[in-house]
Amino acid sequence: MRWIISRTTWLERMARRKQPAVDDVTARDHAAMLVRAGAPWLRQAREQLATARRDGKLAHGILIHGTGGAGQSALALWTANLVLCHESGAAPCGRCRSCVLFLAGNHPDFYSVELEEKASYIKVDQIRELCAKLTLRSYSGGGKAGIIDPADKMNLQANNALLKTLEEPPEDTFLILAASRPDRLPRTVVSRCQRVRITTPPDKEAVAWLNGELPRQDWPDLLKLAAGAPFRALDLAGEGAGELTGEMRTLLAQGGSGGALDPLEIAAQWSKDRPAARLAWLESWLESQIRERASGSDVVNNNHDFRLPSADVGVNIKSAFTLLDKVRDARQLLESSLNTQLLLEDLLVQFVNALAGRTAGRMEIQG
Ligand SMILES: [Zn+2]
């Protein structure tokens, strides 16, 4: 989900696109995200935040973290809405002037920082701009709120720039950080934040919730690819990843068993047929392999291979991490790439080589 770098830059970006109308898009994004924030597995986190707010115990820095797609982005937005609301109930009232402005995507004291297009990191200038805005006097006479999402993508300078505001926050100002990898944030930042951890719901509950959104047979598969995070599963389904599972598994098994895969041929085929969904699938698949390995054994001692339940291929963890970075880069570049086929060729040559065990980080078959 991408929205708002800051009000100005976002407005500029939308103006370049010319349509649709700015407020409509922001309002739709806000409304959709706030609906997500009402998901049942986020209830405990919502209560924790609302109680702290009501008791005047909410910290000025709040770090909301969980598996990617578990709901931290939606909950960060909900929290911003909550701290800006003029009432102090268990949820934003939705009726006060502040809530009306927020829902319209038009609140003058709300700022948000996200990854800029094609960027791998949130840059120091974005954080400086956010902090400068948060020191201004409130336009609406109430509180101010800023979201940084994904906060774990701030580079070192950006983190350092944030520290001062976290140490001496302006009055009635809240900085909300959303992250899926809080371990990538410096201790100095984490220690100045109140932490809210989101846990993914049990699979059965998640599948029931997903079926309520959209009935599908393959939710258990998609949920597995999504590390149990329901919003990520929903996004994967929307990207068309579900329909690809059978085909992708066959391909991986074929490559892993020493079958001759021609990366150039696959790239030509993929570039014409749902390239974004295929990359999304590959990314989630690699993540699930890394996770499985990490939970089952010692990540540091990575001399042994681990089993892929989906394709009977063993992947060396080093190789999986390298490929994961490459898939992520390719996903970032896909939209703006002039030559999708070339981009995919570059990735798939490495992927196929790794599957066939031709690189240092070897992959091999397990019986
Ligand atoms: Zn309100």
Side-chain angles (χ1 to χ4, degrees):
M1 187 100 203
R2 62 177 49 197
W3 37 276
I4 324 181
I5 292 163
S6 71
R7 186 155 305 280
T8 322
T9 43
W10 190 78
L11 277 165
E12 282 164 359
R13 200 198 301 164
M14 291 315 295
R16 279 203 298 278
R17 276 195 211 159
K18 288 203 173 118
Q19 50 85 39
V22 173
D23 287 351
D24 288 354
V25 175
T26 319
R28 252 202 326 270
D29 282 356
H30 274 202
M33 290 284 270
L34 290 168
V35 167
R36 282 190 169 195
W41 64 92
L42 300 177
R43 198 188 68 190
Q44 203 186 341
R46 287 194 306 270
E47 284 174 0
Q48 181 189 342
L49 288 157
T51 305
R53 165 79 171 152
R54 193 196 57 212
D55 298 345
K57 287 182 179 160
L58 196 61
H60 289 275
I62 303 159
L63 169 61
I64 304 177
H65 61 99
T67 309
Q72 56 270 36
S73 295
L75 196 65
L77 194 72
W78 183 90
T79 306
N81 192 180
L82 181 82
V83 298
L84 293 170
C85 175
H86 296 157
E87 304 295 326
S88 55
C93 77
R95 294 180 304 275
C96 72
R97 185 173 149 67
S98 181
C99 281
V100 171
L101 285 169
F102 194 87
L103 282 168
N106 229 352
H107 200 294
D109 295 313
F110 170 65
Y111 307 98
S112 180
V113 168
E114 64 161 15
L115 280 173
E116 286 175 344
E117 256 171 65
K118 290 194 231 168
S120 312
Y121 289 95
I122 288 176
K123 297 170 191 131
V124 63
D125 288 346
Q126 292 176 271
I127 298 299
R128 281 193 189 128
E129 191 186 346
L130 171 74
C131 292
K133 282 174 172 165
L134 288 174
T135 56
L136 296 174
R137 231 181 48 209
S138 161
Y139 286 101
S140 61
K144 288 168 286 177
I147 289 180
I148 303 171
D149 181 14
D152 43 25
K153 289 284 183 183
M154 280 188 288
N155 64 18
L156 187 65
Q157 291 95 325
N159 270 302
N160 287 338
L162 182 68
L163 262 181
K164 195 179 172 314
T165 308
L166 274 178
E167 278 164 357
E168 297 165 28
E171 205 186 335
D172 211 7
T173 297
F174 295 88
L175 261 169
I176 304 154
L177 281 59
S180 57
R181 293 287 310 272
D183 55 306
R184 286 186 177 163
L185 284 163
R187 242 171 237 272
T188 43
V189 166
V190 175
S191 65
R192 284 171 176 83
C193 291
Q194 179 171 350
R195 289 178 74 156
V196 178
R197 182 165 170 261
I198 297 173
T199 47
T200 51
D203 284 359
K204 211 174 150 190
E205 267 175 47
V207 168
W209 182 85
L210 286 162
N211 272 319
E213 293 293 302
L214 177 75
R216 279 182 80 115
Q217 296 289 327
D218 59 352
W219 281 129
D221 273 351
L222 285 168
L223 199 61
K224 196 170 180 187
L225 267 182
F231 296 141
R232 174 79 182 127
L234 209 55
D235 291 345
L236 280 170
E239 284 161 351
E243 287 72 14
L244 295 170
T245 297
E247 192 193 319
M248 297 291 278
R249 280 182 183 172
T250 308
L251 196 72
L252 288 169
Q254 204 186 329
S257 64
L261 290 181
D262 181 350
L264 306 191
E265 197 181 299
I266 302 167
Q269 192 192 326
W270 284 17
S271 64
K272 294 187 204 98
D273 181 21
R274 295 166 287 173
R278 289 172 194 279
L279 292 185
W281 194 97
L282 271 188
E283 181 184 356
S284 290
W285 180 80
L286 281 165
E287 281 170 346
S288 71
Q289 304 318 313
I290 289 167
R291 218 166 33 242
E292 210 152 286
R293 173 65 172 272
S295 63
S297 64
D298 181 4
V299 189
V300 183
N301 176 15
N302 54 19
N303 295 323
H304 50 133
D305 298 295
F306 66 105
R307 190 180 172 80
L308 303 188
S310 51
D312 285 344
V313 182
V315 183
N316 178 288
I317 199 150
K318 232 187 224 170
S319 182
F321 272 118
T322 308
L323 287 169
L324 183 59
D325 281 343
K326 295 199 180 306
V327 172
R328 283 179 177 157
D329 286 349
R331 283 194 73 190
Q332 283 287 115
L333 292 170
L334 192 64
E335 243 177 82
S336 58
S337 174
L338 293 174
N339 194 332
T340 305
Q341 190 170 332
L342 206 63
L343 181 78
L344 291 172
E345 278 178 9
D346 184 44
L347 171 72
L348 283 163
V349 163
Q350 297 179 61
F351 210 100
V352 167
N353 279 343
L355 273 175
R358 284 196 290 265
T359 56
R362 107 198 120 93
M363 294 189 174
E364 66 178 29
I365 311 304
Q366 298 208 333

